[in-house]
Amino acid sequence: MAVEIGDFIEVIGHEPGYEHGYFEGEVIGDYDGILKIRYEHFVVEKDGPYLVEMVHPDHVRPRPPHVDKDVESFQKGDVVDVLWKDGWWQGIIYDVFDNLNNEMRYEVFYEYMPKYKKYDVCQPMNVRPHQDWISVNNERVWVTPVREEIEEDVKVIWERRWR
């Protein structure tokens, strides 16, 4: 992937506890093929400057293209990304419901979150369709997974999907 200074990208988490998350940033330098990234949500300390890190290009992908989808139209089984702890984490919508204030919420199951975070309830504004950045005929393209059938144990879905 050709990356230029000023490109807005996502960095694939590679530190313990951040694996499988995608973190938004901007390329602010290129030093012999190693990219200097300024993250958009990570700060060095509370109310401090944004974290700047040197990242190998293999850990970078472009930001997924915007998908024109009403964030309140996701359904059970949709594969989504949820914004949590400054990054996007992949999950499957397990349930759609209204809370006590009649506000729509999604219950999401995560396969690759830190051990303490397997299920979460989230607001629609923090959800986007999941898209995979894959290689097809030596070209990189975005693909959107199809909806999964929700079974009694949602873990069965992941085992079938990632075999």
Side-chain angles (χ1 to χ4, degrees), residues 78-80 90 129-132 143-148 161-162:
D78 281 345
V79 182
V80 296
Q90 182 181 348
H130 177 75
Q131 298 177 72
D132 290 315
V143 296
T144 303
V146 296
R147 178 176 296 126
E148 300 280 357
R161 179 173 161 82
W162 297 110

Side-chain angles (χ1 to χ4, degrees), residues 13-30:
H14 54 278
E15 299 288 329
Y18 294 94
E19 302 97 331
H20 305 289
Y22 291 90
F23 304 91
E24 297 174 324
E26 179 182 2
V27 178
I28 60 172
D30 185 337

Side-chain angles (χ1 to χ4, degrees), residues 107-125:
E107 183 177 17
V108 178
F109 171 80
Y110 302 98
E111 175 69 7
Y112 294 115
M113 286 289 260
K115 291 179 184 172
Y116 57 89
K117 188 81 167 174
K118 289 294 184 188
Y119 290 92
D120 192 18
V121 173
C122 50
Q123 300 175 3
M125 67 184 201

